Amino acid sequence: MKDLLLIALFAGLGATGAGLLGWLAVRLLRRRSMALSLFCVAVVTVLAVTSGTFAVAQAMFLSGHDLGVVITVLGMASVVSLLTAALLGRQVVAGSRALTAAARTVGSDTGFTAPDRPLGLELAQLSEELAATSARLAESRARTRALDASRRELIAWISHDLRTPLAGLRAMAEALEDGVADRPEQYLRRIRAEVERLTGMVDDLFELSRIQAGALSLSLSRVSVYDLVDDALAGAHPLARQRGVRLEGGQVAAEPVEVDSREITRVLGNLLVNAIRSTPEDGVVAVSARREVDEVVLSVTDGCGGIPEQDLARVFETGWRGSAARTPRRDPGEGGDSGAGDSGAGLGLAIVRGIVEAHAGRARVHNVTGGCCFEIALPAARG
Ligand SMILES: Nc1ncnc2c1ncn2[C@@H]1O[C@H](COP(=O)(O)OP(=O)(O)OP(=O)(O)O)[C@@H](O)[C@H]1O
Ligand SMILES: [Mg+2]
């Protein structure tokens, strides 16, 4: 028993010496290749066993013959374990090199190309992570590209939309200046209407840029949707009367919501103007509001005959207008030839979506019989 304890002590001392050397070597090699560290671990194991064996032999616990046998066995085991460690090191290094090469493909046009050799568990997880990052990068690039394209398109459209009425305004101002306008008061009325329309467009652009910059600061207050709808309907009445469209707001529940009333009235106003413009004379535009679990859903239904299925997903895009809306139409009674009319800039619904989403709500549209229905869902006020 005592011998056994002494053997353990000598073997421990020998192994500790080798262990300390190994610890030093691993520390010194920590910035070098992982293969070297792996090899080092194998060398330490061999050294620990060998030094322990020699320490035990020195203390005369082993005969010369036994020591020879042990050294032969140790020698063979050492060769095999060092070779195995070298092989493992090579494998790890090759895997990590393959992954480094693959990492260069992250974010490339062709997407991430995973290494075609089998990888260890950790490297395989890293490879999966890189593939996911690459996919996210590609997605956000595509989004940025689409956003850039839509901004360029919007600037082109807005410039076009501004050029036509400005040319009209200049022609009318010149005619007034030269005294060739036979009915100057009609020219003045049209100039004022045009200026108002342009002011509205600039106002919309400003609102949209505030929304897109995240600079929309909402002053929330608890109001009943009944009052919001009432205000919006009052604002839309003159246009509806002019167009011969009937406004219906009978199905509005007095549900409380916590919103910025000015902004939501603007949302409802945009939806109502669109609905009235799209509904033929004698048609009906109906506004309703209902509670759905923890949301209050406001809807504006018109008689536009339905929006083509492929356009439904695009109506909320900034600057998007239906093909009919690109041909300027004129408000009845406006008269004249300025080319002005109710063709908008395609900003109204983008503003609707921006404002509603700033309220943590959702804006959507679907077709109904004879028309379409725009819905905004706002979180219901608590308590
Ligand atoms: N209620 C509706 N019924 C049918 N089509 C609609 C309706 N509302 C919008 N649309 C279609 O969606 C397009 C985009 O609407 P949006 O309000 O964003 O722009 P706009 O009305 O053309 O211009 P703006 O609102 O800037 O004056 C419209 O041009 C129209 O084609
Ligand atoms: Mg509009």
Side-chain angles (χ1 to χ4, degrees):
M1 186 63 193
K2 192 176 153 221
D3 285 357
L4 217 60
L5 279 175
L6 278 173
I7 287 171
L9 181 69
F10 283 114
L13 280 175
T16 309
L20 281 175
L21 274 177
W23 175 75
L24 198 68
V26 169
R27 268 193 73 84
L28 287 176
L29 291 174
R30 68 183 187 275
R31 287 185 203 286
R32 310 300 289 267
S33 167
M34 200 193 277
L36 265 179
S37 296
L38 282 174
F39 193 70
C40 197
V41 171
V43 170
V44 167
T45 315
V46 167
L47 273 183
V49 176
T50 314
S51 55
T53 310
F54 273 103
V56 171
Q58 285 302 311
M60 312 267 254
F61 286 105
L62 276 182
S63 67
H65 172 262
D66 289 354
L67 183 62
V69 172
V70 172
I71 284 178
T72 314
V73 174
L74 264 181
M76 295 315 296
S78 306
V79 170
V80 172
S81 64
L82 290 179
L83 269 176
T84 311
L87 266 174
L88 177 64
R90 257 174 67 108
Q91 200 172 306
V92 169
V93 167
S96 119
R97 282 200 184 128
L99 198 56
T100 308
R104 288 192 200 107
T105 65
V106 169
S108 67
D109 287 340
T110 49
F112 178 69
T113 319
D116 50 7
R117 53 175 302 127
L119 299 173
L121 181 67
E122 289 80 5
L123 291 186
Q125 277 170 348
L126 191 57
S127 172
E128 272 167 28
E129 221 26 75
L130 285 174
T133 308
S134 181
R136 277 199 299 272
L137 201 65
E139 210 174 282
S140 91
R141 265 206 198 141
R143 250 200 321 266
T144 312
R145 257 185 233 141
L147 208 65
D148 277 352
S150 85
R151 284 214 179 109
R152 273 198 299 276
E153 219 170 36
L154 177 67
I155 290 173
W157 283 342
I158 296 290
S159 322
H160 173 267
D161 287 349
L162 289 175
R163 207 175 303 129
T164 317
L166 284 175
L169 282 174
R170 187 167 60 200
M172 287 188 278
E174 280 170 3
L176 286 172
E177 207 174 34
D178 298 344
V180 295
D182 37 346
R183 285 162 65 193
E185 65 294 340
Q186 199 190 26
Y187 272 52
L188 288 172
R189 209 171 36 247
R190 273 169 44 206
I191 287 177
R192 211 173 74 93
E194 271 302 81
V195 168
E196 261 166 28
R197 201 171 72 86
L198 291 178
T199 310
M201 200 190 280
V202 171
D203 187 44
D204 276 356
L205 273 176
F206 183 64
E207 176 83 355
L208 202 61
S209 78
R210 281 202 313 152
I211 292 172
Q212 289 181 346
L216 194 70
S217 61
L218 303 173
S219 45
L220 301 178
S221 61
R222 193 185 166 95
V223 280
S224 155
V225 283
Y226 188 84
D227 295 337
L228 292 172
V229 171
D230 213 35
D231 285 352
L233 284 175
H237 248 293
L239 180 65
R241 209 174 26 245
Q242 194 182 43
R243 295 291 183 115
V245 171
R246 194 153 48 85
L247 289 181
E248 273 181 9
Q251 291 192 342
V252 179
E255 289 291 343
V257 279
E258 200 157 309
V259 292
D260 185 319
S261 351
R262 210 168 62 94
E263 298 292 352
I264 296 297
T265 308
R266 182 178 192 137
V267 163
L268 288 172
N270 283 0
L271 292 178
L272 280 170
V273 168
N274 280 350
I276 296 167
R277 281 176 180 173
S278 314
T279 303
E281 213 170 329
D282 292 331
V284 176
V285 167
V287 185
S288 70
R290 61 184 190 278
R291 172 87 183 231
E292 264 181 21
V293 198
D294 48 1
E295 285 182 331
V296 174
V297 181
L298 283 153
S299 62
V300 177
T301 311
D302 65 17
C304 69
I307 296 175
E309 212 54 41
Q310 71 274 14
D311 290 345
L312 280 176
R314 301 203 61 196
V315 290
F316 289 101
E317 283 176 20
T318 308
W320 189 88
R321 292 175 293 187
S323 50
R326 290 212 176 85
T327 330
R329 285 171 292 165
R330 225 167 279 132
D331 284 337
E334 191 188 338
D337 57 359
S338 73
D342 58 2
S343 71
L347 305 177
L349 289 178
I351 291 174
V352 165
R353 187 174 60 179
I355 294 176
V356 171
E357 285 179 359
H359 282 84
R362 284 168 299 124
R364 55 193 180 224
V365 58
H366 62 267
N367 282 326
V368 293
T369 327
C372 62
C373 174
F374 280 84
E375 284 188 336
I376 56 166
L378 296 166
R382 285 169 210 276

